[in-house]
Amino acid sequence: MNAANDVVGMDAGKSAVPRTPPHPTHKLKLLLRREFWEHKGGFFWAPIWAGGISLLLTTMALIFGEVAARRSGKTTINGLDLSLLTEKMSPEDVRHLADGISMSTATAMFWPMLVLGFVVFFYCLGSLFDERKDRSVLFWKSLPVSDRDTVLSKAISALLVAPAIATGVGVACMIAFLLLLSLFVVIHHGNPFMLLWSPGNLLFNAGVAIAAIPIYALWALPTVGWLLLCSAWSKSKPFLWAIMIPVFAGVFISWFDLMNSFDLSSGWFWKNVVAHLLGGVFPGSWVMVMDMKLTNLRHFPDMNVIRSMYSVMATPQLWIGAAAGVAMITAAIRLRRWRDEG
């Protein structure tokens, strides 16, 4: 009896021990998973559809060109097949040709990355507004998850998860594009391994795309922060508020020439504030806003591309915008704590 009582006492003692609360990183992981599955159509399928359509159009263009050439009786390019053309080229010419093809291959990522900008824009704009609109915010607030973790999971999904997925889809599109061109080259008696699959070109293109993700996250931070703030604050039509406030601010500043007080033109405000605030989620937008020069490179697979791309990290515009983005995300977290009406 004493032994049995000891066992019962031990079991009672074990049951009385409170469970260890889940680690914050585990909560964040679950929230990120939730965001992915709720927006899988935008994060995952939209870049795939965009890349697939671009590859389909490329295939149709190659087939149309091949059929047109055969109907005209010209089955070779410039009167020669590719094998004869490359035999007469010097190694330097072949390298330049491969570099040019490498640059054209990199454009296969254009459509998935363009779709990424629209997906992130409208995802952030509706992420906090929609949960108040359908009253699901009451359910999520009943769970042991803080407003900070919820908003941060949405920001991380927009700044890191979505770009990483779109980059992976873009790399897959580059490989598929090379396979299509390889078939075309083989038909015309060329060597696709020498012309298309030049050592390091594909890996370099993929490396540049992956290396751009941290810059994208920092550059898009003010846009994501602004859209999340509008999503948490506006009672209706967050899209109009997100667009009208920066645009009207630009019109007001241009009207009264307020930037002259800082020896700057109104165009500076439109480009560095309005364009950055609304278009920062589009990959590569920092190249246009910062007027980065990439034209004096000898050939594309060069580390100068990455150095030039990362030169934006040394500009105050990037870090001032990132700080403003952090401040707006903090404001969005505070707003979500009490703005739960429908």
Side-chain angles (χ1 to χ4, degrees):
M1 291 294 293
N2 291 334
N5 291 334
D6 291 339
V7 172
V8 172
M10 291 174 61
D11 292 339
K14 288 182 179 179
S15 62
V17 176
R19 292 184 177 181
T20 304
H23 195 271
T25 56
H26 181 64
K27 286 185 179 181
L28 185 60
K29 181 180 178 181
L30 293 177
L31 287 172
L32 291 175
R33 187 177 298 176
R34 164 210 165 188
E35 294 299 324
F36 173 76
W37 285 110
E38 285 190 352
H39 302 88
K40 188 176 181 180
F43 286 170
F44 184 72
W45 290 112
I48 289 179
W49 277 106
I53 292 173
S54 67
L55 291 174
L56 177 62
L57 294 176
T58 301
T59 304
M60 293 172 61
L62 289 175
I63 294 175
F64 177 80
E66 188 69 21
V67 171
R70 292 183 181 275
R71 285 183 176 177
S72 64
K74 299 178 180 180
T75 58
T76 58
I77 299 178
N78 295 330
L80 294 172
D81 61 18
L82 290 179
S83 62
L84 296 177
L85 181 64
T86 53
E87 285 177 0
K88 296 182 179 181
M89 295 175 63
S90 65
E92 185 71 12
D93 293 334
V94 173
R95 186 181 62 82
H96 283 300
L97 177 61
D99 294 341
I101 294 175
S102 180
M103 292 187 66
S104 64
T105 304
T107 61
M109 297 188 66
F110 174 77
W111 290 107
M113 304 310 287
L114 177 65
V115 168
L116 167 68
F118 288 102
V119 168
V120 171
F121 187 94
F122 288 102
Y123 163 74
C124 293
L125 197 58
S127 58
L128 299 177
F129 174 79
D130 291 342
E131 66 178 11
R132 287 187 288 114
K133 183 179 180 181
D134 59 17
R135 309 292 290 178
S136 64
V137 65
L138 300 177
F139 168 74
W140 293 113
K141 281 180 174 290
S142 66
L143 299 179
V145 179
S146 65
D147 297 288
R148 181 200 62 189
D149 292 341
T150 301
V151 176
L152 286 181
S153 68
K154 298 178 184 298
I156 293 173
S157 297
L159 294 171
L160 295 176
V161 176
I165 295 174
T167 300
V169 173
V171 172
C173 288
M174 285 196 298
I175 296 174
F177 181 72
L178 281 175
L179 291 175
L180 285 175
L181 292 182
S182 297
L183 179 61
F184 180 79
V185 169
V186 169
I187 291 175
H188 289 275
H189 313 291
N191 185 353
F193 295 100
M194 181 178 66
L195 290 175
L196 304 177
W197 300 88
S198 178
N201 281 3
L202 178 62
L203 293 177
F204 186 85
N205 290 342
V208 169
I210 295 172
I213 293 178
I215 300 178
Y216 174 85
L218 289 171
W219 184 261
L221 194 53
T223 307
V224 170
W226 170 246
L227 296 176
L228 288 175
L229 181 61
C230 291
S231 184
W233 169 76
S234 61
K235 294 183 178 180
S236 64
K237 300 178 178 62
F239 177 79
L240 293 180
W241 286 109
I243 298 296
M244 286 193 306
I245 292 178
V247 171
F248 283 175
V251 172
F252 181 82
I253 287 175
S254 299
W255 194 359
F256 292 99
D257 292 330
L258 297 181
M259 296 305 298
N260 290 337
S261 303
F262 305 95
D263 294 329
L264 296 172
S265 64
S266 300
W268 182 94
F269 183 85
W270 282 98
K271 186 170 87 168
N272 291 275
V273 178
V274 179
H276 188 180
L277 195 63
L278 298 179
V281 292
F282 290 91
S285 58
W286 59 84
V287 175
M288 294 177 289
V289 173
M290 302 298 296
D291 292 329
M292 296 176 62
K293 303 298 183 182
L294 301 175
T295 56
N296 55 352
L297 301 175
R298 291 177 300 171
H299 54 92
F300 187 69
D302 196 311
M303 289 302 296
N304 288 333
V305 176
I306 296 181
R307 294 192 192 99
S308 179
M309 183 174 62
Y310 268 81
S311 64
V312 73
M313 301 281 283
T315 60
Q317 291 93 326
L318 176 71
W319 298 107
I320 293 174
V326 171
M328 288 185 284
I329 291 175
T330 303
I333 293 172
R334 293 185 176 274
L335 280 173
R336 190 182 184 270
R337 291 177 180 174
W338 56 269
R339 181 67 64 99
D340 60 354
E341 72 277 5

